[in-house]
Amino acid sequence: MRLTLPDIDQRTFDSVPDSVGRARDFTDKSLLAWGLDALADDVRLCVSELATNAVVHGTDHSTDQNFLVRLIADDRYVHLEVHDDHHLWPERRQADEGDLSGRGLGLVAALSAGWCVEPRQPSGKIVWTRFEIAPAPRETSC
């Protein structure tokens, strides 16, 4: 592992559909540089879901806006944050069988060690999630 803890990498993307793929590529490169490519599949899927939400639901398409992807690695977790300027907060819901959307936050919850939405000042929100680098040792009783 090549981390200098905590390690931070971030990039701002235009709020357009093509930016979702660029956010995935950015995430892959950061994790590879940190020697954490074993987490890449799960983190890449989650950044894809959160970046898509930021593009589709997190911006006012009448103005030029963007979103920020921030990755932070510490000694236990990779933290993924997606920042946008919109007030609409995502909610996890149960998608019906025929629905073409609505499963993203369920995937994020299933693949990560937790997620949340927090307000961002002066406006907007941060949707964050985290991934365990190495599982915490389990306590055993004697």
Side-chain angles (χ1 to χ4, degrees):
M1 199 176 311
R2 293 168 255 170
L3 293 172
T4 55
L5 303 174
D7 216 337
I8 300 172
D9 204 358
Q10 65 183 29
R11 183 161 301 151
T12 301
F13 299 91
D14 293 331
S15 187
V16 296
D18 287 348
S19 292
V20 175
R22 288 193 275 284
R24 281 192 304 266
D25 292 343
F26 160 73
T27 299
D28 281 341
K29 290 175 184 170
S30 296
L31 293 173
L32 182 62
W34 294 340
L36 297 172
D37 43 312
L39 295 174
D41 289 341
D42 290 348
V43 180
R44 180 177 41 245
L45 181 55
C46 290
V47 78
S48 184
E49 293 296 336
L50 298 181
T52 297
N53 283 350
V55 170
V56 173
H57 305 293
T59 57
D60 174 1
H61 294 287
S62 65
T63 61
D64 290 333
Q65 291 188 335
N66 52 46
F67 64 94
L68 173 86
V69 174
R70 177 178 293 150
L71 296 163
I72 305 166
D74 60 27
D75 59 344
R76 188 151 177 227
Y77 294 102
V78 169
H79 304 264
L80 164 63
E81 299 176 354
V82 177
H83 301 228
D84 68 54
D85 292 325
H86 203 275
H87 67 279
L88 180 65
W89 286 41
E91 293 180 18
R92 186 174 169 194
R93 65 181 179 90
Q94 183 65 39
D96 292 330
E97 186 176 319
D99 289 349
L100 299 177
S101 64
R103 294 174 182 83
L105 291 177
L107 287 171
V108 170
L111 295 174
S112 69
W115 72 278
C116 192
V117 183
E118 297 179 357
R120 186 178 89 167
Q121 298 301 326
S123 67
K125 65 186 170 297
I126 302 167
V127 183
W128 63 260
T129 186
R130 65 181 178 201
F131 306 84
E132 279 190 278
I133 292 174
R138 295 186 183 253
E139 292 185 22
T140 57
S141 57
C142 0

